[in-house]
Amino acid sequence: MQILRCPAQLQLLEEALRKSLPTTLPVLGTVMTVARGNPASHEVLVDSWPHFGIVLTRLRPEEHRDPRDYYTNQLAVFYRDKGALQALLRGTEAVTRARAFQIMGMQDGLDEAVREVASARGLKVETIQHRALISPEPPQPRRQMPPGLRLAPVSPSHVPLLNATWALGGNARSQAFLLGLVRTLPSACLLGPRGRPVCWSLLDGQGCLRHGYTVPAWRGHGLTGVVVAAIGRELHARGFPVYGAVRPHNTASLRALQASGFLPQPGTFYMILGTPK
């Protein structure tokens, strides 16, 4: 695999990936993040250049600190044929026996291929399916912000609350991961009268709006639209696709995003988690 570092190469890859949206969403978002300062410390690999069969984005190897941390060890994959995917998985660029991982992609067959290889190498595998939604234009909140609330970036001091309310969180690794996102990537929250967040959304290293949450007492007021619009306007101005990934059963979040101008996309956004047994 060849690492692409040249800005001109990353620009050409970005243009190629845009032609295959929405299938390329997590890879395209990562490539654009890498090309614009690389705050998440990822790298972009291809099997050949300029004619590639597969693109892999991953955390830079020197950033690996905890072999059981699948939160930080994020990878995204887009492939043009399954043979290229199988060739990648036979090596050690993506899946190794000793390291937890989180692989994202939007192609059918990715889940089965990763699960087969990871299980054979002694890892425990879990797949979480999401629905991807794109806002073609800057998102627009369907309601005005209620009196008494204030829009602000998420602060590092808010991270314990975010960690406690995240379905995949609640531990030291997830808290460290969230803290890294808050410190390096755009975020938005609404602060209540006492300065405590009541609604928030973060951007991850794949350029995806994630980790959105509204505290129960403030649900039903259209707050999600306010925070995603704040981040979405910035992303749209920088040329990023404005997209989110939501669990299919989370009907409230799906409705909230669609009310703000997001359109559901075909296919499944896969998040495949692997951990050493």
Side-chain angles (χ1 to χ4, degrees), residues 162 166 177-178 181 200-204 209-213:
L162 273 62
W166 183 22
F177 170 69
L178 292 170
L181 295 184
W200 56 84
S201 182
L202 307 180
L203 193 72
D204 66 13
L209 290 163
R210 296 275 295 280
H211 311 289
Y213 188 83

Side-chain angles (χ1 to χ4, degrees), residues 259-274:
S260 301
F262 285 78
L263 304 177
Q265 300 301 300
T268 300
F269 187 111
Y270 292 99
M271 175 191 294
I272 308 161
L273 310 178

Side-chain angles (χ1 to χ4, degrees), residues 145-146 148-158 162 182 185-203 213 223-224 226-234:
M145 184 168 57
L149 299 185
R150 178 169 59 90
L151 183 65
V154 176
S155 164
S157 65
H158 302 150
L162 273 62
V182 168
L185 292 162
S187 64
C189 71
L190 291 172
L191 301 177
R194 297 182 180 180
R196 183 179 174 88
V198 299
C199 179
W200 56 84
S201 182
L202 307 180
L203 193 72
Y213 188 83
L223 302 189
T224 295
V226 177
V227 294
V228 299
I231 305 175
R233 284 192 295 268
E234 178 180 350

Side-chain angles (χ1 to χ4, degrees), residues 97-149:
R97 185 184 304 274
R99 184 181 300 127
F101 64 80
Q102 177 183 156
I103 295 180
M104 285 164 278
M106 286 192 62
Q107 290 170 278
D108 292 334
L110 175 64
D111 175 31
E112 293 83 356
V114 173
R115 181 178 293 274
E116 180 180 354
V117 170
S119 298
R121 294 180 181 176
L123 287 89
K124 178 183 177 182
V125 183
E126 176 186 4
T127 300
I128 302 175
Q129 298 185 9
H130 294 77
R131 187 78 184 271
L133 301 95
I134 295 179
S135 181
E137 303 296 331
Q140 298 293 331
R142 71 181 189 272
R143 299 187 191 178
Q144 297 295 319
M145 184 168 57
L149 299 185

